[in-house]
Amino acid sequence: MSYVDGYVIAVPAANREKYEALARSYDAKMIKQGALRVVEAWNDDVPHGKRTDFFRAVEATEGELLIFSWAEWPDKATRDKAQAVLMEEMTQSGEAMDVPFDGARMIFGGFVPFLDLSRPAP
């Protein structure tokens, strides 16, 4: 079964276009390194909870939008190899990645799927 990386990020609304450009570039590199699919989604119908919610998870402030994103990999080994290659490319370029958000507030993790349902094709 596949492997999934998941992310939640708070992005200042003023940086929306910068984030989208970064995502297009970086996500294409993940596909090149073996990712099967990468999805980036802006918040649309995300409620504020009484105890927990996505906004609190990333300490989102007024004027920030949320990104919910995931990358699907064929397996963890492919993902681990891709991450090593991508980190090496960034190190060799000598340029800091210009991220339009506070990376310290991003939450992320790798997940092993246990159920994957799809609607059969018509």
Side-chain angles (χ1 to χ4, degrees), residues 64-86:
E64 288 186 319
L65 303 170
L66 298 180
I67 285 287
F68 180 63
S69 175
W70 67 92
E72 297 173 18
W73 301 90
D75 50 50
K76 187 174 189 289
T78 301
R79 179 270 221 156
D80 289 349
K81 182 178 176 187
Q83 280 190 343
V85 168
L86 294 169

Side-chain angles (χ1 to χ4, degrees), residues 18-38:
K18 283 180 76 175
Y19 181 85
E20 289 178 1
L22 173 67
R24 282 185 182 88
S25 173
Y26 192 79
D27 296 357
K29 291 176 184 180
M30 287 197 295
I31 294 292
K32 183 178 176 184
Q33 292 300 321
L36 302 172
R37 180 178 183 213
V38 182

